[in-house]
C-alpha cells in the first residue's frame, strides 16, 4: 500500500516536472530518482511519452473544436443567406402576381 502511495507521489512530481512547476530542489530530487535505477529511467521515459501523447491529443481536440466552430458559422451564414433569398423570391412573386392582377 505504501509503495502505491510513493508511486502516486512520484507520478505527481513527474507531471509537475514536465510542466515546469517544480522548484530547483524538487527538480533535483526527480532527476536523482531517474538516475537511481534503470527501471526509474524507463518509467520516466514512458511517463514522458504518455504526457506528450496526451498533450498532442488535447491539441488535436482543440484544433477540431476550432474547425467545428468555423464549420458551424459557415452553415449558419448559408442558412441565413438562403432564408433571405427565399424571402426576396416570395416578395418578387407577390409583386408580379399583384401587378398581373392589376393589369387584368
Amino acid at each position: 500500500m505504501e509503495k502505491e502511495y510513493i508511486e502516486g507521489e512520484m507520478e505527481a512530481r513527474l507531471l509537475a516536472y514536465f510542466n515546469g512547476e517544480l522548484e530547483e530542489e524538487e527538480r533535483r530530487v526527480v532527476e536523482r530518482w531517474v538516475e537511481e535505477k534503470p527501471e526509474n529511467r524507463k518509467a520516466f521515459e514512458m511517463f514522458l511519452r504518455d504526457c506528450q501523447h496526451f498533450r498532442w491529443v488535447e491539441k488535436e481536440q482543440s484544433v477540431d473544436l476550432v474547425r467545428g466552430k468555423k464549420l458551424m458559422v459557415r452553415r449558419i451564414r448559408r442558412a441565413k443567406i438562403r432564408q433571405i433569398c427565399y424571402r426576396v423570391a416570395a416578395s418578387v412573386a407577390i409583386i408580379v402576381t399583384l401587378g398581373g392582377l392589376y393589369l387584368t
Side-chain angles (χ1 to χ4, degrees), residues 76-96:
I76 290 170
R77 285 182 184 160
R78 286 180 189 162
K80 285 181 180 180
I81 291 171
R82 196 174 301 128
Q83 188 178 29
I84 290 171
C85 288
Y86 290 147
R87 287 181 180 175
V88 169
S91 299
V92 169
I94 290 172
I95 291 172
V96 168

Side-chain angles (χ1 to χ4, degrees), residues 12-82:
R13 279 189 179 171
L14 288 173
L15 187 59
Y17 180 84
F18 294 138
N19 290 329
E21 299 169 349
L22 292 180
E23 293 183 19
E24 186 66 29
E25 182 59 34
E26 292 173 315
R27 240 183 60 239
R28 279 192 227 124
V29 168
V30 170
E31 290 168 356
R32 278 186 296 232
W33 178 82
V34 170
E35 297 300 324
E36 222 171 69
K37 299 178 189 173
E39 298 89 30
N40 294 351
R41 161 80 56 198
K42 188 174 181 177
F44 176 83
E45 290 170 355
M46 287 175 56
F47 196 77
L48 174 61
R49 272 184 274 150
D50 289 346
C51 286
Q52 289 172 339
H53 177 73
F54 288 133
R55 286 182 181 163
W56 178 81
V57 167
E58 188 177 79
K59 185 178 178 181
E60 285 296 313
Q61 287 176 345
S62 67
V63 168
D64 287 344
L65 184 62
V66 169
R67 287 180 190 157
K69 284 181 181 179
K70 287 180 181 179
L71 181 62
M72 287 301 295
V73 167
R74 271 192 233 135
R75 287 182 180 173
I76 290 170
R77 285 182 184 160
R78 286 180 189 162
K80 285 181 180 180
I81 291 171
R82 196 174 301 128

